[in-house]
Amino acid sequence: MVKGHIHSLETFGTVDGPGIRFVLFMQGCLLKCQYCHNPDTWALDGGKEMSLEEVLAEIEPYLTYYRSSGGGLTVSGGEPTLQAHFVADVFKEVKRRWGLHTTLDSNGFNEPDRIHELLDNTDLVLLDLKHIDDEKHIKLTGKSNERTLNTARWLSEHGRKMWIRHVYVPGIHDQEQDLLDLGRFIGTLNGVEKFEILPYHQMGIYKWEALGKVYPLDGVPSPTEEEVERAYRLIEQGRAETAGITCSSNESRNF
């Protein structure tokens, strides 16, 4: 029986999908984001091995909260699609036993056709678009954004629901052209229920230091409210060009 490599878990998550959620953080990630606040999730062979039944036993005591709030299970990381078979088994079983809503929090760095069993059992994808410009994406994460954009297109073409999230780092994500292009890309997609900017923060620096790694964004501040609002405005402007829709002004945009 396949076991999962688990980094950690959270029983009362409120930001990773609708309602109150059990959040399972998987171990392993192929992207090396400069702003990552959990670089300890990168190693593919780390974490705690858990069986399907062990994971379900952690979820079961809190089912009342998840059901009553319209919540469910979110699997995050690391990058959960690297353990797609295990996560698919978990999603299938929480649906079969308890009818729970399932959310996958992913950077999209995979091939959708190879993980279709997982995606077939996923109700919502939280897709993290790190940067719309490929060269800047490579500098920021060490990898091209091609797979992520292909994943977004696949989800759109196959009628899947997604929330798109974008971490905003001053000096990296503030170019007007990039923000317009990001909006233009989102405007070509179907099924995007929400777009959200996640302001960069420095809370993970101590983990880099504990791992003996040099933190690449040392001294970079969090964005101001004005910077975030400008980014939303430009992204919405770009999206309106391709989708013909203008969104209202809120912290997160429901499309």
Side-chain angles (χ1 to χ4, degrees):
M1 181 177 292
V2 176
K3 289 192 173 185
H5 287 265
I6 311 300
H7 174 265
S8 56
L9 54 86
E10 180 181 352
T11 53
F12 284 86
T14 57
V15 297
D16 297 307
I20 298 171
R21 311 192 69 81
F22 186 98
V23 186
L24 187 68
F25 296 92
M26 306 300 291
Q27 183 71 30
C29 188
L30 298 179
L31 271 58
K32 304 293 183 282
C33 299
Q34 292 182 348
Y35 54 70
C36 182
H37 57 274
N38 284 317
D40 48 326
T41 64
W42 291 353
L44 300 178
D45 57 354
K48 176 185 178 182
E49 272 199 351
M50 294 182 71
S51 67
L52 171 62
E53 290 300 328
E54 286 172 328
V55 170
L56 297 176
E58 295 284 351
I59 298 172
E60 191 168 16
Y62 309 101
L63 285 175
T64 300
Y65 299 100
Y66 307 142
R67 285 172 168 161
S68 64
S69 68
L73 168 66
T74 296
V75 180
S76 184
E79 173 48 44
T81 64
L82 296 180
Q83 300 186 63
H85 185 68
F86 179 79
V87 179
D89 285 348
V90 174
F91 276 3
K92 283 188 287 187
E93 197 59 19
V94 299
K95 283 180 169 296
R96 188 186 71 81
R97 291 192 191 187
W98 305 315
L100 283 189
H101 179 277
T102 56
T103 294
L104 182 72
D105 182 8
S106 173
N107 60 36
F109 193 75
N110 213 307
E111 301 293 340
D113 288 332
R114 294 179 58 186
I115 58 170
H116 63 86
E117 183 184 20
L118 168 58
L119 295 174
D120 286 347
N121 288 280
T122 299
D123 295 315
L124 173 68
V125 177
L126 307 184
L127 187 64
D128 301 317
L129 294 185
K130 312 291 188 180
H131 210 297
I132 195 63
D133 181 274
D134 194 40
E135 287 187 13
K136 294 176 183 177
H137 192 281
I138 292 169
K139 183 177 179 181
L140 180 64
T141 71
K143 301 288 185 182
S144 170
N145 66 11
E146 182 179 1
R147 286 188 177 185
T148 301
L149 301 186
N150 285 341
T151 294
R153 295 184 188 102
W154 188 96
L155 294 170
S156 173
E157 292 165 2
H158 288 79
R160 308 306 172 90
K161 296 177 181 178
M162 58 182 134
W163 294 3
I164 292 180
R165 306 204 289 188
H166 183 65
V167 174
Y168 182 98
V169 183
I172 294 178
H173 296 103
D174 48 11
Q175 291 296 308
E176 179 174 328
Q177 191 62 49
D178 293 335
L179 295 167
L180 288 169
D181 285 347
L182 176 59
R184 289 167 183 144
F185 176 72
I186 294 171
T188 67
L189 303 175
N190 299 310
V192 181
E193 296 183 333
K194 180 186 289 189
F195 170 76
E196 188 173 13
I197 289 175
L198 306 178
Y200 161 74
H201 61 73
Q202 302 91 350
M203 288 190 289
I205 294 177
Y206 75 96
K207 288 191 176 182
W208 287 72
E209 294 172 345
L211 293 169
K213 297 179 180 291
V214 176
Y215 187 64
L217 299 181
D218 188 33
V220 176
S222 295
T224 64
E225 289 184 15
E226 290 76 17
E227 287 176 309
V228 171
E229 186 55 41
R230 170 183 173 270
Y232 270 128
R233 188 169 62 251
L234 288 168
I235 291 165
E236 288 171 0
Q237 180 182 330
R239 181 175 178 271
E241 291 179 17
T242 48
I245 299 172
T246 302
C247 300
S248 59
S249 179
N250 297 301
E251 280 194 13
S252 63
R253 303 322 206 239
N254 294 306
F255 289 160

